[in-house]
Amino acid sequence: DADVTQTPRNRITKTGKRIMLECSQTKGHDRMYWYRQDPGLGLRLIYYSFDVKDINKGEISDGYSVSRQAQAKFSLSLESAIPNQTALYFCATSDGGKALQETQYFGPGTRLLVL
Amino acid sequence: QKEVEQDPGPLSVPEGAIVSLNCTYSNSAFQYFMWYRQYSRKGPELLMYTYSSGNKEDGRFTAQVDKSSKYISLFIRDSQPSDSATYLCATAGGYNKLIFGAGTRLAVHP
């Protein structure tokens, strides 16, 4: 079984709809991240969480919210989806590692299309 | 100016070629650099990392950092079709947050 799973893998929704993307991990890591990937822009950090009680905004948090339900679960919500939120979304985890030497482990991604 | 710049390609090479993938970065305080590989319809996975200046070799892959010019390189020797993927450079941007380049799409054709 995959260490980092994301559901759904693909989703089509309409402008204005609320949508939730879910991430689960079995790696036992404390740190979890949500990124979006757009062609030519690479991976951009939306939110990150270093433990269940710690939630932080990333580079592009506007229009998104998150919930860390447990160490293993981190959900990303789009309260009112808009077309420019069409992207590939990745969840990642890490154990922190040594200072600056962090390896992040990514899920398979969710492809979201907002019409 | 983006903190990490990477030419998105695509780059197409014949099997057996030496591939050079490159990034530049803007902040001289960055010390830890990574290369992630992303196959189509998959999440990125760490390929190599290197600390500060110098080279690091792992099989057919060599990661190189030139701090004087703020240049990061990944060399692939004897490239194979299985190396076809998007390669993303990244650096630790402080407080364990990674900053990624845009990714370079590589195609190795038989």
Side-chain angles (χ1 to χ4, degrees), chain A residues 9-10 31 33 35 37-38 40-45 48 50 54 56-58 88 90 94 96-109 111, chain B residues 2-3 6 8 29-34 36 38-46 49 51 86 88 91-103:
Chain A
R9 293 294 313 276
N10 296 279
R31 299 183 178 196
Y33 306 80
Y35 293 90
Q37 187 175 38
D38 300 274
L41 296 177
L43 287 162
R44 291 183 292 165
L45 184 62
Y48 61 102
F50 284 176
D54 177 75
N56 303 280
K57 292 182 178 180
L88 189 52
F90 286 103
S94 80
K98 298 178 183 178
L100 300 182
Q101 293 183 18
E102 172 174 279
T103 298
Q104 294 191 6
Y105 299 87
F106 286 81
R111 194 170 295 272
Chain B
K2 290 183 180 178
E3 291 184 280
Q6 183 176 10
F30 294 155
Q31 295 187 61
Y32 181 58
F33 303 93
M34 291 139 278
Y36 279 77
Q38 183 179 14
Y39 289 115
S40 181
R41 300 199 173 275
K42 301 283 188 182
E45 58 181 354
L46 181 66
Y49 69 87
Y51 186 71
T86 297
L88 301 104
T91 185
Y95 205 35
N96 294 100
K97 290 188 292 181
L98 298 184
I99 301 169
F100 288 87

Side-chain angles (χ1 to χ4, degrees), chain B residues 21-57:
Chain B
L21 302 168
N22 307 293
C23 293
T24 59
Y25 62 95
S26 60
N27 190 334
S28 58
F30 294 155
Q31 295 187 61
Y32 181 58
F33 303 93
M34 291 139 278
W35 285 95
Y36 279 77
R37 179 174 60 194
Q38 183 179 14
Y39 289 115
S40 181
R41 300 199 173 275
K42 301 283 188 182
E45 58 181 354
L46 181 66
L47 181 62
M48 294 185 68
Y49 69 87
T50 185
Y51 186 71
S52 194
S53 283
N55 293 356
K56 184 172 183 178
E57 190 173 320

Side-chain angles (χ1 to χ4, degrees), chain A residues 44-64:
Chain A
R44 291 183 292 165
L45 184 62
I46 306 172
Y47 270 95
Y48 61 102
S49 170
F50 284 176
D51 64 43
V52 175
K53 296 181 181 180
D54 177 75
I55 302 288
N56 303 280
K57 292 182 178 180
E59 181 186 351
I60 50 162
S61 58
D62 287 349
Y64 301 95

Side-chain angles (χ1 to χ4, degrees), chain B residues 64-78:
Chain B
Q64 188 175 79
V65 178
D66 182 346
K67 292 206 75 177
S68 63
S69 57
K70 300 192 188 72
Y71 207 74
I72 314 163
S73 299
L74 178 70
F75 299 98
I76 308 174
R77 291 185 302 279
D78 187 25

